[in-house]
């Protein structure tokens, strides 16, 4: 809030007009500017649609946290304490580093919301490998690869989609809104992981008791798969006509004022046109009539002929 106060603080008009260093006004003026910024943000319907979109993405972000919180204990308890969990985990960052630039280039012309939904379907379905197959390295690798493919498709487009909707001056606020699922997923994922491991994949077994790890991953898969389903069901609500219009306007380049365009230097040729300060053509410019001769060039040519005759 202190940074927002400093950035949005109005300055003294007299100081700005006099060329002096602009000093922020009183604390009350800063709070007034901040309150106007907050009100402008919360009164924007696109902001609430984006907030709903952020909440829906939380489910698919949970499965990424289970890669850290649940998969290590699961592999140790099912495959032994000397399991090479690091090798399985390394599949995700290695795949992301290589694939994100390629996928981003291939999907650049596509609708960002559609890419997010499609990628969320892929990542959300990744836990079903562990639910369908018995505990093994192959099932864990398939889980990590499928999760990485979906993440490479949807994760970069989440920030792009957010920035396309951010009004001018509120980019920082909307960027933090896009980061909410990454950090908000940690708390429920940790609590959920502890309960699931204790219930379906305990460290020690009573006589006659068996682990039900596949049920655990089925629950995780249903939780993560809820994100793409909700994104698809609420497509028209979130990606509304107003949102599409704002994205279209964000894609349009800003117009450059003509006064800001510096005149290009001429090469001195016969077809060069020199602009004077008023934007008109000076000597050597194009004549008033399209079929007429160039004034400056004709006069110079005549003087040269007189010199030759002399």
């Amino acid at each position: 809030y202190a940074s927002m106060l400093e950035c949005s603080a109005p300055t003294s008009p007299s100081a700005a007009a006099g060329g002096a260093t602009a000093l922020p006004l009183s604390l009350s003026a800063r709070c007034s500017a901040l309150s106007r910024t907050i009100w402008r943000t919360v009164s924007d319907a696109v902001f609430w649609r984006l907030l709903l979109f952020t909440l829906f993405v939380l489910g698919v972000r949970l499965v990424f946290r289970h890669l850290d919180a649940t998969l290590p204990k699961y592999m140790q308890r099912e495959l032994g304490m000397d399991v090479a969990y690091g090798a399985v985990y390394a599949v995700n960052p290695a795949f992301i580093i290589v694939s994100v630039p390629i996928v981003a280039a291939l999907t650049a012309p596509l609708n960002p919301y559609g890419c997010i939904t499609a990628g969320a379907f892929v990542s959300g379905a990744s836990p079903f490998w562990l639910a369908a197959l018995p505990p093994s390295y192959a099932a864990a690798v398939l889980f990590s690869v499928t999760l990485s493919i979906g993440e490479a498709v949807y994760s970069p487009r989440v920030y792009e989609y957010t920035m396309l909707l951010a009004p001018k001056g509120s980019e920082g606020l909307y960027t933090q809104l896009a980061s909410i699922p990454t950090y908000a997923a940690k708390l429920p994922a940790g609590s959920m992981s502890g309960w699931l491991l204790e219930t379906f994949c305990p460290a020690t077994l009573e006589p006659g008791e068996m682990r039900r790890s596949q049920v655990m991953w089925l629950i995780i898969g249903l939780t993560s798969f809820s994100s793409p389903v909700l994104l698809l069901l609420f497509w028209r609500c979130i990606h509304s006509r107003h949102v599409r219009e704002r994205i279209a306007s964000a894609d349009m380049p800003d117009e450059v004022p003509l006064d800001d365009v510096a005149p290009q230097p001429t090469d001195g040729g016969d077809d060069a046109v020199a602009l004077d300060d008023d934007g008109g053509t000076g000597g050597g410019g194009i004549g008033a009539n399209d079929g007429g001769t160039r004034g400056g060039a004709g006069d110079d040519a005549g003087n040269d002929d007189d010199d030759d005759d002399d």
Side-chain angles (χ1 to χ4, degrees):
Y1 287 116
S3 301
M4 293 176 66
L5 287 173
E6 292 293 337
C7 294
S8 61
T11 56
S12 173
S14 58
T21 303
L23 299 177
L25 297 181
S26 61
L27 180 61
S28 61
R30 300 183 189 181
C31 293
S32 177
L34 178 59
S35 63
R36 288 195 300 270
T37 301
I38 295 176
W39 174 251
R40 185 172 62 251
T41 300
V42 299
S43 60
D44 188 0
V46 174
F47 171 79
W48 295 105
R49 287 186 170 90
L50 188 61
L51 182 61
L52 185 63
F53 164 80
T54 302
L55 294 176
F56 287 167
V57 176
L58 183 62
V60 75
R61 278 293 184 183
L62 280 173
V63 70
F64 185 78
R65 296 269 63 90
H66 284 292
L67 184 66
D68 302 326
T70 309
L71 188 64
K73 292 293 184 182
Y74 158 78
M75 294 185 67
Q76 287 180 349
R77 294 175 184 180
E78 291 286 11
L79 302 179
M81 294 301 296
D82 57 346
V83 66
Y85 163 73
V88 177
Y89 183 85
V91 172
N92 176 258
F95 189 91
I96 292 299
I97 292 173
V98 175
S99 62
V100 164
I102 301 174
V103 174
L106 294 176
T107 60
L110 302 179
N111 179 7
Y113 191 89
C115 290
I116 294 169
T117 305
F121 267 110
V122 177
S123 287
S126 59
F128 293 130
W129 287 112
L130 296 170
L133 300 176
S136 62
Y137 276 105
V141 170
L142 287 172
F143 162 69
S144 185
V145 169
T146 308
L147 172 63
S148 303
I149 293 174
E151 184 185 1
V153 175
Y154 84 85
S155 187
R157 305 307 293 270
V158 169
Y159 295 97
E160 177 191 0
Y161 187 70
T162 305
M163 287 297 97
L164 288 175
L165 298 181
K168 187 175 181 181
S170 301
E171 291 84 354
L173 177 61
Y174 278 67
T175 301
Q176 296 305 314
L177 187 65
S179 303
I180 286 177
T182 302
Y183 301 100
K186 292 185 176 182
L187 182 60
S191 304
M192 183 180 179
S193 174
W195 176 79
L196 289 173
L197 287 170
E198 185 67 23
T199 304
F200 299 100
C201 188
T204 58
L205 297 174
E206 299 293 335
E209 185 181 7
M210 296 181 62
R211 295 188 177 95
R212 295 173 293 165
S213 301
Q214 291 171 296
V215 177
M216 176 183 70
W217 287 108
L218 178 62
I219 296 174
I220 294 174
L222 293 175
T223 303
S224 61
F225 204 71
S226 64
S227 282
V229 172
L230 290 172
L231 289 174
L232 186 62
L233 292 177
F234 287 84
W235 183 304
R236 292 185 179 275
C237 176
I238 299 176
H239 198 62
S240 62
R241 180 180 59 84
H242 187 50
V243 170
R244 294 194 298 270
E245 290 176 353
R246 180 172 293 188
I247 292 176
S249 63
D251 289 337
M252 294 292 292
D254 296 335
E255 294 183 0
V256 180
L258 185 60
D259 296 339
D260 295 342
V261 180
Q264 299 296 323
T266 61
D267 58 359
D270 293 340
D271 295 333
V273 179
L275 298 179
D276 57 17
D277 294 337
D278 297 332
T281 57
I286 300 176
N289 298 324
D290 294 340
T293 59
R294 294 175 174 82
D299 294 342
D300 293 339
N303 293 334
D304 292 341
D305 293 341
D306 295 340
D307 294 338
D308 294 341
D309 294 340
D310 294 339

